[in-house]
C-alpha cells in the first residue's frame, strides 16, 4: 500500500509539472504599488538625438472600493504637465483606465486637456512565458487644434527575459526587459504612420529604469535612464529654483 501511494504521488508531481503553464511571475519588477501611496517622483535623463534633458514622472497609488489604481503624471524639463495615465491593478497585470494629454494653448500658453480613447488597455503583465506573447496598448485622440484629425498610438510589448543589473540608489538591481514596437499615425492624413522599435528595462522593486526607441529609419532616437527617485516636494523645489520663486 505504501508503494502504491508513493507511485500515485510521483505521478501527480510528474503530470503537474508537465501540464503547468510555465509562466514566470514578474510582478516584483513593476512599480512598487504598496510603497507609492504617498507618491514619488522618478527623474529620467533623456537623450533625443544627442540632446539631453530631464523628464519627471510622479507615481502614486490609490485604493478605491473598485480596486487599486496607479496614476502616473508626466512633467517635461520646464515642469509643464504633459500626460496623466490612470491604470488599474488586476490579477494578471495593470490596465489603463484613463488617459489624458495636455498641450499648451497657442495664445494663452495654458494646458488644454484632451481625453484619449483607450482601445487596448494592457500596460504591464504580471505573468509571462516567452517572447511569443504580445501585450497590446493603444489609444486615439483628437488634437485640440484639429478636432477633425484622429491621432493614434499602438504599442506592442514582448517579454525578452532577464537584462543586466542596473545601478540605482547605490544598489545593483536585477532587471528584466521587453521589446517595444510602436506605431503613431494620423487617420486624417490618409493613415500616415511612423513606426518605432526599442526596449524597456524594469528593475526589481523599482519599475522602469531604462528605455530606448528609434523611429522611422533612425532619424529620431530617444533613450532614457532613471537617475533619481524623490518626493514631490523636491520636484517643487526644483521648479521654484528655475523660476526664481
Amino acid at each position: 500500500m505504501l508503494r502504491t501511494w508513493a507511485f500515485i504521488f510521483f505521478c501527480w508531481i510528474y503530470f503537474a509539472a508537465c501540464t503547468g503553464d510555465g509562466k514566470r511571475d514578474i510582478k516584483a519588477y513593476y512599480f512598487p504599488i504598496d510603497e507609492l501611496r504617498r507618491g514619488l517622483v522618478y527623474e529620467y535623463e533623456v537623450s533625443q538625438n544627442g540632446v539631453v534633458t530631464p523628464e519627471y514622472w510622479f507615481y502614486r497609488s490609490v485604493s478605491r472600493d473598485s480596486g487599486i489604481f496607479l496614476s502616473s503624471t508626466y512633467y517635461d524639463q520646464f515642469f509643464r504637465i504633459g500626460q496623466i495615465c490612470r491604470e488599474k491593478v488586476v490579477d494578471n497585470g495593470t490596465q489603463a483606465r484613463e488617459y489624458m494629454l495636455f498641450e499648451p494653448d497657442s495664445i494663452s500658453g495654458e494646458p488644454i486637456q484632451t481625453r484619449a480613447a483607450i482601445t487596448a488597455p494592457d500596460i504591464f503583465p504580471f505573468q509571462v512565458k516567452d517572447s511569443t506573447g504580445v501585450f497590446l496598448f493603444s489609444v486615439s485622440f483628437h488634437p485640440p487644434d484639429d478636432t477633425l484629425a484622429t491621432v493614434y498610438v499602438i504599442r506592442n510589448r514582448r517579454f525578452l527575459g532577464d537584462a543586466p543589473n542596473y545601478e540605482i540608489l547605490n544598489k545593483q538591481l536585477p532587471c528584466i526587459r521587453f521589446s517595444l514596437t510602436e506605431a503613431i499615425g494620423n487617420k486624417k492624413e490618409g493613415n500616415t504612420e511612423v513606426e518605432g522599435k526599442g526596449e524597456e528595462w524594469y528593475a526589481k522593486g523599482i519599475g522602469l529604469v531604462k528605455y530606448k526607441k528609434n523611429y522611422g529609419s533612425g532619424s529620431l532616437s530617444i533613450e532614457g535612464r532613471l537617475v533619481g527617485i524623490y518626493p514631490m516636494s523636491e520636484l517643487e523645489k526644483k521648479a521654484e529654483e528655475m523660476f526664481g520663486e
Side-chain angles (χ1 to χ4, degrees):
M1 179 64 71
L2 181 61
R3 289 182 178 180
T4 301
W5 280 110
F7 177 75
I8 293 173
F9 178 75
F10 172 79
C11 290
W12 179 80
I13 294 294
Y14 175 80
F15 285 111
C18 290
T19 58
D21 59 13
K23 289 186 176 181
R24 176 179 174 183
D25 188 339
I26 59 169
K27 183 177 181 180
Y29 289 85
Y30 198 48
F31 296 99
I33 307 294
D34 293 337
E35 299 175 20
L36 290 172
R37 298 190 183 279
R38 292 188 177 182
L40 287 172
V41 174
Y42 281 51
E43 179 179 341
Y44 295 87
E45 181 183 85
V46 180
S47 173
Q48 181 171 319
N49 288 356
V51 178
V52 179
T53 57
E55 69 177 30
Y56 310 96
W57 290 82
F58 178 63
Y59 292 96
R60 185 178 182 182
S61 59
V62 179
S63 295
R64 296 284 184 259
D65 292 339
S66 55
I68 299 175
F69 297 85
L70 176 67
S71 66
S72 57
T73 305
Y74 161 71
Y75 299 90
D76 66 14
Q77 69 268 34
F78 301 111
F79 308 100
R80 296 176 302 201
I81 187 170
Q83 172 187 308
I84 296 177
C85 179
R86 188 169 67 100
E87 53 197 274
K88 184 176 183 180
V89 180
V90 296
D91 291 339
N92 61 350
T94 66
Q95 296 183 337
R97 289 291 185 266
E98 192 173 38
Y99 199 92
M100 291 175 289
L101 300 168
F102 297 83
E103 294 185 26
D105 181 79
S106 58
I107 299 176
S108 67
E110 293 297 317
I112 301 174
Q113 177 180 308
T114 300
R115 185 180 297 272
I118 300 169
T119 50
D122 291 341
I123 299 288
F124 189 91
F126 292 160
Q127 302 288 331
V128 294
K129 190 172 184 180
D130 52 37
S131 61
T132 60
V134 177
F135 305 96
L136 177 62
F137 170 78
S138 65
V139 296
S140 62
F141 61 95
H142 303 294
D145 59 349
D146 188 357
T147 56
L148 297 179
T150 301
V151 177
Y152 61 88
V153 179
I154 302 172
R155 180 179 299 128
N156 290 327
R157 287 184 173 92
R158 293 178 184 267
F159 179 65
L160 296 180
D162 293 318
N165 288 356
Y166 189 88
E167 184 175 354
I168 185 71
L169 304 178
N170 297 318
K171 296 179 181 179
Q172 290 282 343
L173 299 176
C175 294
I176 58 172
R177 62 193 182 109
F178 285 83
S179 69
L180 287 178
T181 302
E182 287 188 348
I184 304 173
N186 187 339
K187 293 181 179 180
K188 183 182 178 182
E189 299 174 358
N191 286 325
T192 58
E193 191 172 272
V194 176
E195 186 174 287
K197 293 185 177 181
E199 277 192 11
E200 289 179 334
W201 288 19
Y202 292 82
K204 193 172 186 179
I206 295 291
L208 181 66
V209 293
K210 185 177 180 180
Y211 65 86
K212 61 180 180 180
K213 301 177 186 179
N214 292 299
Y215 292 92
S217 59
S219 57
L220 176 59
S221 177
I222 302 174
E223 295 189 25
R225 65 184 189 93
L226 182 65
V227 295
I229 302 174
Y230 44 78
M232 174 55 82
S233 58
E234 186 168 335
L235 183 65
E236 293 171 345
K237 184 178 178 180
K238 287 176 180 286
E240 290 173 356
E241 292 173 352
M242 172 176 281
F243 297 112
E245 297 178 2

